[in-house]
């Protein structure tokens, strides 16, 4: 049914990654100001920094530094650390402190930055009495799988705080062992219909390794698994993964096999700005994926200093639909990492969403948001209303730890400064939100020591 893919006409330059130790080799960096260079050196002692040749040459507009959105997305900037944290690291770096001293101070600062937001550690399931640390199971039908070898990315986003898990390994045997555990879990949990590969970025893996994770899920006795999703930023950071990388043809064949097994294969593509949609390479990558029957759904957090304008979102959704992708989520930036540089009040997030949503046609309105991935679930801000004389936020669960919470409107006192769910109070004089007693039970159970 799908035509074979057209030959790719935009071969990649070789993948070259740069870190805090090597970024001065980037030719464009020689034009940065001393302030910008100092900021990179100091902030990158705390936050992860990795950028690559495609991002540098194809996405960043070097005449617009430091405000360029993709520069801000990948390069450390001074304001990304709190002033006292910045001053502390600056004193150490300038004063010639040892690498060990710098590292110890960085670890302390990171502990202040909420490295495990939204109770992520509470979702680790067990199978036959063994904890499964590479699996998270928070919502009934969907299991998140973190393949060990997908825990890094082609470049790092400055707003991201997944660095606690950024490690590298490349070993097929390990993948098979992890897959055995996952398959066992899926066999015994027949209500799970979706497996979502996440990371880091699973598309960092070679096709042979990714296949050793995915092929076993296509077996007939796992008929409950109907959708395989892959969360990735590779379309934004290294689209050649799907076109001219040496194992790209095998990758598209793997995806074709998933589709031929009667399952849905969705790439959950992470795009933060329309610039990422405009290169010939990303356009070819999207065409190639679509030609083997892959669906592409898109998502992004709303980020101050990168995409906090409705026109940017409207433009992004329109272009995505034109490229045959499906807009899926607008997220509220998590309460972690360099949040004060990126965070947007909930009321402003809603205004940006609403304004953008009003300016696109129905085919773009598959997008849902703004949504907070919080401890009880994904909570969408439906809007600001006035009910019985009280100004309130109307909210609802898009996903909940208890599926019964989903799609019921509930209300919080309006608060123009609130940035996250835990800063909201119930409206109408109530003392707690409807889900809180049950949530307390769920959290209690998942932290109880197992017998
Ligand atoms: C978003 C998310 C999912 C997937 O939810 P969908 O509504 O099916 O897209 C699964 N697990 C976790 C922890 C999530 O945050
Ligand atoms: S690609 Fe995803 S996991 Fe990787 S740094 Fe960016 S947000 Fe984090």
């Amino acid at each position: 049914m799908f035509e074979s893919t057209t030959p790719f006409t935009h071969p990649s330059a070789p993948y070259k990654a740069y870190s805090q130790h090597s970024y001065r080799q980037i030719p464009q960096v020689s034009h940065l100001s001393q302030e910008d260079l100092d900021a990179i050196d100091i902030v990158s002692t705390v936050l992860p920094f990795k950028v690559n040749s495609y991002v540098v040459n194809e996405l960043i507009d070097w005449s617009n530094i430091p405000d360029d959105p993709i520069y801000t997305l990948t390069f450390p900037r001074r304001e990304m650390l709190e002033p006292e944290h910045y001053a502390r690291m600056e004193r150490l770096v300038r004063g010639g402190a040892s690498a060990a001293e710098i590292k110890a101070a960085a670890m302390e600062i990171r502990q202040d930055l909420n490295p495990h937001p939204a109770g992520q550690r509470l979702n680790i399931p067990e199978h036959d009495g063994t904890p499964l640390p590479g699996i998270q199971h928070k919502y009934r039908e969907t299991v998140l799988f973190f393949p060990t070898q997908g825990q890094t990315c082609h470049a790092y986003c400055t707003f991201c705080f997944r660095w606690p898990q950024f490690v590298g390994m490349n070993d097929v045997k390990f993948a098979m062992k992890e897959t055995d555990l996952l398959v066992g879990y899926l066999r015994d949990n027949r209500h799970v219909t979706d497996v979502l590969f996440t990371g880091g970025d699973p598309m960092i893996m070679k096709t042979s390794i990714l296949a050793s994770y995915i092929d076993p899920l296509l077996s007939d006795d796992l008929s409950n698994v109907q959708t395989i999703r892959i969360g990735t930023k590779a379309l934004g950071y290294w689209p050649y993964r799907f076109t001219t990388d040496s194992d790209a043809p095998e990758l598209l064949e793997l995806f074709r096999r998933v589709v031929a097994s009667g399952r849905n294969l969705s790439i959950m593509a992470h795009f933060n700005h329309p610039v990422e949609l405009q290169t010939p390479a990303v356009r070819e990558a999207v065409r190639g994926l679509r030609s083997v029957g892959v669906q592409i759904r898109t998502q992004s957090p709303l980020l101050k200093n990168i995409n906090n304008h409705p026109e940017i979102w409207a433009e992004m959704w329109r272009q995505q639909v034109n490229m045959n992708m499906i807009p899926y989520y607008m997220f509220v930036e998590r309460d972690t990492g360099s949040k004060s540089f990126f965070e947007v009040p909930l009321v402003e997030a809603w205004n940006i969403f609403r304004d953008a949503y009003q300016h696109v046609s129905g085919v773009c309105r598959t997008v849902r948001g703004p949504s907070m991935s919080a401890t009880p679930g994904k909570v969408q801000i439906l809007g600001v209303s006035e009910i019985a004389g009280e100004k309130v936020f109307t909210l609802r669960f898009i996903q909940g730890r208890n599926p019964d919470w989903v799609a019921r409107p509930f209300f919080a006192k309006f608060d123009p400064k609130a940035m996250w769910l835990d800063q909201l109070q119930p409206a109408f004089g109530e003392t707690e939100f409807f889900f809180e007693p049950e949530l307390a039970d769920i959290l209690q159970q998942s932290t109880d020591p197992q017998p």
Side-chain angles (χ1 to χ4, degrees):
M1 172 175 149
F2 298 103
E3 288 304 307
S4 69
T5 49
T6 46
F8 298 111
T9 52
H10 294 275
S12 64
Y15 176 79
K16 180 139 180 50
Y18 302 94
S19 71
Q20 63 189 113
H21 306 296
S22 59
Y23 78 92
R24 283 177 198 250
Q25 294 163 14
I26 300 172
Q28 293 92 329
V29 160
S30 62
H31 303 296
L32 296 189
S33 70
Q34 193 56 46
E35 285 81 0
D36 292 336
L37 295 172
D38 287 346
I40 294 171
D41 291 337
I42 289 160
V43 176
S44 65
T45 60
V46 178
L47 301 177
F49 172 35
K50 176 180 177 185
V51 69
N52 69 49
S53 38
Y54 172 78
V55 176
V56 162
N57 294 320
E58 309 266 339
L59 299 184
I60 294 174
D61 172 2
W62 289 92
S63 69
N64 182 27
I65 303 302
D67 292 329
D68 176 72
I70 308 296
Y71 178 86
T72 303
L73 180 62
T74 50
F75 278 75
R77 289 177 56 177
R78 182 186 182 118
E79 311 91 306
M80 291 174 187
L81 286 186
E82 296 300 325
E84 69 272 18
H85 290 155
Y86 190 91
R88 180 174 173 196
M89 291 318 289
E90 188 176 33
R91 272 196 307 277
L92 288 172
V93 171
R94 291 256 164 85
S98 71
E101 279 175 284
I102 291 175
K103 197 169 164 198
M107 284 312 289
E108 268 178 43
I109 293 174
R110 289 171 189 161
Q111 285 314 313
D112 277 1
L113 302 180
N114 189 21
H116 295 285
Q120 291 305 323
R121 279 175 164 174
L122 298 174
N123 310 317
I124 298 175
E126 296 203 349
H127 185 241
D128 292 343
T130 319
L132 303 174
I135 298 178
Q136 269 180 23
H137 193 179
K138 183 167 169 181
Y139 308 131
R140 190 176 53 194
E141 40 308 291
T142 306
V143 155
L144 254 56
F145 182 49
F146 296 76
T148 307
Q149 291 146 92
Q151 302 312 309
T152 185
C153 308
H154 291 97
Y156 292 153
C157 308
T158 42
F159 68 82
C160 176
F161 226 53
R162 293 212 162 157
W163 55 263
Q165 68 202 32
F166 284 161
V167 292
M169 272 179 77
N170 230 349
D171 179 352
V172 175
K173 270 198 225 119
F174 198 87
M176 282 158 61
K177 187 172 149 241
E178 280 185 319
T179 308
D180 282 349
L181 294 171
L182 175 66
V183 165
Y185 187 76
L186 295 171
R187 228 176 244 140
D188 291 354
N189 288 273
R190 306 301 290 189
H191 51 278
V192 174
T193 56
D194 286 41
V195 177
L196 203 166
F197 285 77
T198 183
D201 191 334
M203 294 317 307
I204 203 91
M205 290 188 275
K206 292 274 172 240
T207 302
S208 54
I209 295 187
L210 188 64
S212 68
Y213 284 111
I214 290 184
D215 277 323
L217 304 183
L218 307 183
S219 93
D220 287 342
D221 66 339
L222 284 183
S223 57
N224 51 314
V225 177
Q226 292 163 14
T227 294
I228 295 175
R229 297 194 237 178
I230 302 176
T232 180
K233 175 99 184 137
L235 283 167
Y237 279 166
W238 191 251
Y240 308 114
R241 180 69 192 89
F242 307 99
T243 61
T244 52
D245 272 8
S246 61
D247 60 349
E250 290 84 357
L251 181 67
L252 295 187
E253 271 316 304
L254 169 65
F255 290 168
R256 201 195 284 276
R257 278 204 295 287
V258 177
V259 175
S261 81
R263 292 176 172 84
N264 176 278
L265 179 61
S266 283
I267 296 276
M268 311 304 289
H270 170 193
F271 290 113
N272 306 103
H273 195 277
V275 167
E276 295 169 272
L277 303 168
Q278 286 158 8
T279 67
V282 70
R283 290 177 174 256
E284 288 199 341
V286 169
R287 277 202 297 277
L289 287 166
R290 299 285 300 127
S291 75
V292 293
V294 173
Q295 285 186 341
I296 307 173
R297 297 174 196 276
T298 62
Q299 55 192 35
S300 169
L302 172 61
L303 301 157
K304 191 171 69 183
N305 293 304
I306 291 183
N307 62 21
N308 57 333
H309 298 286
E311 317 81 69
I312 293 179
W313 285 86
E315 181 63 21
M316 206 158 41
W317 296 335
R318 274 191 217 108
Q319 287 194 27
Q320 287 166 355
V321 167
N322 291 349
M323 293 164 74
N324 284 304
M325 299 188 277
I326 306 166
Y328 195 58
Y329 276 130
M330 174 201 271
F331 291 119
V332 178
E333 167 58 357
R334 279 181 193 274
D335 50 348
T336 178
S338 34
K339 62 174 180 176
S340 59
F341 185 66
F342 290 119
E343 72 190 346
V344 173
L346 299 179
V347 63
E348 198 182 317
W350 171 64
N351 276 317
I352 291 169
F353 180 86
R354 163 170 82 126
D355 196 343
Y357 196 83
Q358 286 172 355
H359 286 90
V360 294
S361 84
V363 289
C364 300
R365 292 188 187 154
T366 48
V367 66
R368 297 169 302 169
S371 164
M372 292 174 271
S373 291
T375 307
K378 282 196 174 66
V379 176
Q380 180 183 14
I381 301 144
L382 286 175
V384 178
S385 331
E386 197 169 306
I387 299 178
E390 186 174 335
K391 199 169 178 189
V392 296
F393 280 118
T394 304
L395 308 152
R396 69 165 192 145
F397 282 95
I398 297 175
Q399 268 294 6
R401 276 176 191 266
N402 178 346
D404 191 50
W405 300 345
V406 172
R408 296 198 204 178
F410 66 101
F411 304 96
K413 273 187 198 149
F414 178 72
D415 175 351
K417 294 206 200 75
M419 307 269 191
W420 197 253
L421 184 63
D422 61 6
Q423 295 163 9
L424 294 177
Q425 301 300 322
F428 313 127
E430 286 175 18
T431 54
E432 57 188 7
F433 290 113
F434 80 93
F435 57 87
E436 284 185 293
E438 225 179 319
L439 177 65
D441 284 350
I442 295 170
L443 296 182
Q444 178 60 41
Q445 278 163 26
S446 61
T447 52
D448 274 348
Q450 299 297 324

